[in-house]
Amino acid sequence: MNLLLSINFELMLQAVPVLLLIAVTTWLISLAIDDVSIVDYIWSLLSLAAAATYAYHTGIESTVSLVMLLMVSFWAFRLTFFLMKRGRNQPEDRRYQVIRKRNSPNFGLKSLYLIFIFQGFIAWIISTIFVPVFDAGASVETAIEWNLWHSAGLALWLFGLIFESIADNQLHAFNQKVVQDSKTLNTGLWRYSRHPNYFGESIVWWGIYLIAVSVEGGWITIWSPILIGVLLRFVSGVPLVEQLYEGDDEFIRYKETTNVFVPLPPRKTKSEE
């Protein structure tokens, strides 16, 4: 209990109305265009909004706080712009079409809390990872100096960001092909992992955690990168994507040879053994 009290929940509460405003506004837009997949566009912006709110209320009195805000900003805008480019002139994402069918009728109303407010809540919980850094940077007296933990965190974050960006661009280029030799991308980073973009995303958050852990009490925010990993691997990432390919022979062969999350050398199929 004392560990939880080390988190400045009063500061966290400042972000609640901001996140709610973003979530509800985006929900209203989704009703107008009949497409809830636009929630993906705001996922990273919700995290950025929380971080920016904390930075606004505490001020930025240290290099660590400034770098943290820049890291979150760069990650958020990169991901949002990519998703907008990928979704341009496309119908509602197939993952959300499945959710829509499962929750009809009155899906429009249900989507407010099932998708938009839920996303805002998850972003708020995960934003705990930012609080110790900005809280410590609220004054010159409490601000921490840049150290090896911060350098390691920045390096890991950059690796994850580059890895995710490469995977995203490889998949986008594959999907843009007019003529495809295969329905399943199994080259580049996708040869070693079925979801290298999700893997890169999880590494981004472990990089942020290494920066947070350098602050007193910051280690308790380990639930943030763990929650990200669990969501990507077991809830809203891998399962929703892979169920779209159930029964596809080509994808079944791909699953036999390629690890699901962490990139590893391809395995031999049973027929090759």
Side-chain angles (χ1 to χ4, degrees):
M1 185 67 177
N2 290 334
L3 290 174
L4 290 177
L5 291 176
S6 66
I7 300 296
N8 188 342
F9 285 105
E10 184 177 349
L11 178 60
M12 288 190 68
L13 288 175
Q14 301 296 328
V16 172
V18 177
L19 300 186
L20 275 175
L21 177 62
I22 295 173
V24 172
T25 301
T26 311
W27 170 68
L28 291 173
I29 295 173
S30 78
L31 293 180
I33 64 176
D34 197 29
D35 184 352
V36 299
S37 57
I38 63 171
V39 73
D40 288 346
Y41 303 163
I42 66 165
W43 161 247
S44 60
L45 297 182
L46 288 167
S47 296
L48 174 58
T53 300
Y54 304 149
Y56 173 78
H57 285 279
T58 61
I60 300 178
E61 298 293 342
S62 72
T63 301
V64 179
S65 298
L66 176 60
V67 170
M68 174 68 85
L69 184 59
L70 291 175
M71 287 167 61
V72 178
S73 299
F74 193 87
W75 161 79
F77 287 126
R78 200 286 313 178
L79 185 56
T80 294
F81 288 147
F82 169 77
L83 292 174
M84 291 179 70
K85 179 180 73 172
R86 188 187 69 179
R88 186 175 53 195
N89 299 323
Q90 296 295 319
E92 185 175 61
D93 189 286
R94 288 183 294 172
R95 295 170 299 156
Y96 294 107
Q97 291 179 22
V98 172
I99 295 174
R100 181 183 290 274
K101 290 178 181 178
R102 287 177 179 173
N103 293 279
S104 294
N106 302 317
F107 176 71
L109 179 60
K110 293 177 182 177
S111 67
L112 173 60
Y113 56 86
L114 286 176
I115 296 177
F116 293 91
I117 290 181
F118 177 73
Q119 287 267 31
F121 175 72
I122 293 297
W124 183 68
I125 293 297
I126 290 172
S127 75
T128 310
I129 201 170
F130 308 136
V131 174
V133 174
F134 289 114
D135 206 23
S139 67
V140 176
E141 291 76 17
T142 60
I144 53 177
E145 295 184 359
W146 190 269
N147 59 41
L148 187 60
W149 280 106
H150 305 132
S151 297
L154 178 60
L156 188 61
W157 170 86
L158 185 60
F159 169 78
L161 186 74
I162 292 174
F163 198 93
E164 180 181 15
S165 300
I166 292 174
D168 281 340
N169 288 323
Q170 287 176 344
L171 182 59
H172 182 64
F174 176 80
N175 289 332
Q176 291 295 107
K177 288 182 178 179
V178 177
V179 179
Q180 295 178 338
D181 298 327
S182 168
K183 292 185 295 183
T184 302
L185 175 58
N186 55 10
T187 59
L189 296 179
W190 300 81
R191 182 169 183 259
Y192 306 98
S193 168
R194 301 203 299 272
H195 303 276
N197 51 345
Y198 292 157
F199 172 76
E201 175 74 1
S202 69
I203 294 299
V204 163
W205 286 93
W206 281 108
I208 292 174
Y209 176 70
L210 285 185
I211 292 180
V213 80
S214 67
V215 182
E216 184 178 357
W219 69 270
I220 191 62
T221 64
I222 194 171
W223 64 58
S224 293
I226 289 177
L227 180 56
I228 285 287
V230 169
L231 289 173
L232 290 173
R233 175 61 183 85
F234 300 105
V235 183
S236 60
V238 172
L240 288 181
V241 172
E242 298 212 341
Q243 73 178 8
L244 300 174
Y245 297 92
E246 288 181 355
D248 184 273
D249 291 339
E250 188 176 21
F251 191 76
I252 291 173
R253 289 193 298 272
Y254 179 55
K255 289 176 67 174
E256 289 180 4
T257 61
T258 312
N259 200 43
V260 62
F261 197 71
V262 178
L264 291 174
R267 301 182 294 268
K268 292 182 179 180
T269 61
K270 294 180 180 179
S271 61
E272 293 174 331
E273 293 177 349

